[in-house]
Amino acid sequence: MTGETPEGCLAVLQMFRQGLIGMNPLDIEKVHVMMDSLVHGNGSAKCAVDIALHDIKGKVMNQPLYRVLGGYQDTVQNDITIGINTPEKMAETARHYVKDKGYRILKIKVGIDPEEDLRALSLIRQAVGPDIRLRVDANQGYNISRAMYALEGMKKYGVEAVE
């Protein structure tokens, strides 16, 4: 999706290595400025450095990461992805994840046909009820007009985020 490759990430990390030597690992924003000054984009390599810095900060503070980031809960709610299938099968899968596995957040893959995608969302909402959080990922599958149409239709299903 991003055009990055493992080889490219390693090359960018090698570039960062020289800049990182001697920097205070707790100056996370300063490290980001250095990385951004060396290369545009390359979010995966930058993310690797950012995660390492936050790990160091947590160890220095003797705190878990959720506290370092300002959180107060020691659990993370995660979503589960419902892959593209027939709307009926997607609803059946959603019901299974909610009822049998306890998921409270569903990420629904869409992006092929807005009409079928909206039908799938309708069936999923019926299957899981109003309290389950729905997110949608279209994987760049819509052009602008199809995206606008789909977004308008998603409103009635309480979709909280669209990628």
Side-chain angles (χ1 to χ4, degrees):
M1 295 299 291
T2 65
E4 296 169 280
T5 64
E7 297 79 19
C9 287
L10 285 173
V12 170
L13 289 169
Q14 290 294 335
M15 289 173 54
F16 293 161
R17 186 168 73 175
Q18 276 306 112
L20 288 167
I21 294 173
M23 289 188 82
N24 181 342
L26 301 179
D27 289 336
I28 296 173
E29 288 184 43
K30 190 173 184 179
V31 171
H32 276 276
V33 169
M34 179 275 297
M35 292 189 296
D36 289 342
S37 73
L38 290 176
V39 65
H40 176 73
N42 291 276
S44 296
K46 290 176 182 177
C47 181
V49 172
D50 180 81
I51 289 169
L53 296 174
H54 280 89
D55 184 55
I56 291 168
K57 187 173 183 177
K59 285 178 172 55
V60 167
M61 294 173 63
N62 197 29
Q63 292 292 318
L65 184 59
Y66 74 91
R67 289 243 169 95
V68 171
L69 297 175
Y72 64 92
Q73 294 182 332
D74 62 356
T75 59
V76 175
Q77 288 189 24
N78 197 7
D79 61 26
I80 187 84
T81 300
I82 309 296
I84 293 175
N85 208 316
T86 66
E88 294 78 12
K89 180 66 176 161
M90 292 171 75
E92 178 184 317
T93 301
R95 182 183 302 109
H96 167 70
Y97 283 136
V98 170
K99 304 279 192 242
D100 300 333
K101 301 289 185 179
Y103 281 93
R104 309 293 299 157
I105 308 169
L106 302 175
K107 180 170 141 181
I108 316 301
K109 290 288 193 173
V110 298
I112 296 174
D113 176 1
E115 290 292 339
E116 283 295 290
D117 296 339
L118 292 172
R119 195 162 86 73
L121 284 169
S122 173
L123 293 175
I124 289 168
R125 179 53 80 201
Q126 289 173 29
V128 301
D131 298 327
I132 301 301
R133 296 164 59 189
L134 300 183
R135 299 171 178 169
V136 171
D137 182 356
N139 281 343
Q140 303 174 7
Y142 297 140
N143 62 26
I144 293 172
S145 62
R146 288 177 141 215
M148 297 301 291
Y149 173 81
L151 287 169
E152 188 61 36
M154 289 176 193
K155 288 180 182 178
K156 64 181 153 196
Y157 305 115
V159 172
E160 71 176 19
V162 178
E163 180 180 341

